[in-house]
Amino acid sequence: MTAGQVIRWSTAGAVAGVAAVAAAASCEHAYALVRAHGETGWIGRLVPLTVDGLIYASSMVLLDAARREAPGPALARWLLGLGIAAALAANVAHGLGHGPAGAAVAAWPAVALVGSYELFMTIIRGTRQPDGGVSGAEHVPVAVSGTDPLRVRAAEVFAADVAAGRVPSVRAIGSRLRVGQPRAQQVRAYLAALADG
């Protein structure tokens, strides 16, 4: 097992442990709040799960976008923030009866869960490798490839620059084509090869 795998698996284990404890505490706090405001029974038990489910679903959509090197949807970012705010608000409201210290203690499980989960997502995002693990320099074809629509589109969008022997910046490529930096670097290397050709 490589060092990277040890880091990922141990982090996953830590996140799972924190998640189990935090979810139990956070759901119990949220359930007490929901019950106190009139929702009882099985529906009252399910309402807190909608908050954690929203955080999970939004994070997964953002992770999927990052893995595809596409910009994260604004709705997913907004809903992630809303889910985090709802989790914190429910926990703080539960602890307010015990003063500021009680509110802080009650809020901690939600903070720990969201924080550890997002750190784990950062590790996952950082482990992806473009196009099967080859570097951009190794993966640059000399001619426009019909199998990579992004390169075809880049050649069209930046045709004037390439014809003049100019290579656009990684930032310009990322902005115009709406791709992440690793993919923009690959496209830039491809455009450089076209400009030199």
Side-chain angles (χ1 to χ4, degrees):
M1 188 176 280
T2 67
Q5 289 172 322
V6 169
I7 291 169
R8 283 190 297 279
W9 283 107
S10 63
T11 304
V15 169
V18 169
V21 173
S26 189
C27 282
E28 193 58 35
H29 293 165
Y31 174 63
L33 185 66
V34 167
R35 190 179 57 225
H37 287 85
E39 197 65 71
T40 59
W42 64 274
I43 292 176
R45 285 276 179 201
L46 292 178
V47 169
L49 298 178
T50 64
V51 175
D52 293 337
L54 182 63
I55 292 170
Y56 178 80
S58 301
S59 295
M60 288 296 105
V61 168
L62 292 172
L63 176 61
D64 178 63
R67 291 178 63 85
R68 290 182 292 109
E69 298 179 352
L75 179 62
R77 294 183 189 283
W78 188 80
L79 289 175
L80 177 62
L82 181 64
I84 292 169
L88 284 172
N91 282 278
V92 167
H94 175 78
L96 273 177
H98 302 285
V105 168
W108 182 249
V111 172
L113 175 60
V114 171
S116 62
Y117 183 73
E118 287 304 314
L119 286 173
F120 186 55
M121 290 298 104
T122 301
I123 289 174
I124 292 174
R125 287 181 195 110
T127 59
R128 73 187 192 290
Q129 292 191 358
D131 296 338
V134 296
S135 72
E138 295 167 337
H139 197 68
V140 177
V142 177
V144 173
S145 167
T147 60
D148 188 349
L150 183 61
R151 287 195 175 98
V152 173
R153 185 164 166 248
E156 292 170 358
V157 170
F158 296 104
D161 291 312
V162 170
R166 294 187 305 265
V167 181
S169 69
V170 170
R171 182 180 297 235
I173 293 168
S175 175
R176 292 280 302 276
L177 301 180
R178 298 185 57 84
V179 295
Q181 183 177 357
R183 193 73 168 114
Q185 288 171 332
Q186 290 178 353
V187 170
R188 187 176 192 279
Y190 169 74
L191 293 174
L194 287 181
D196 288 344

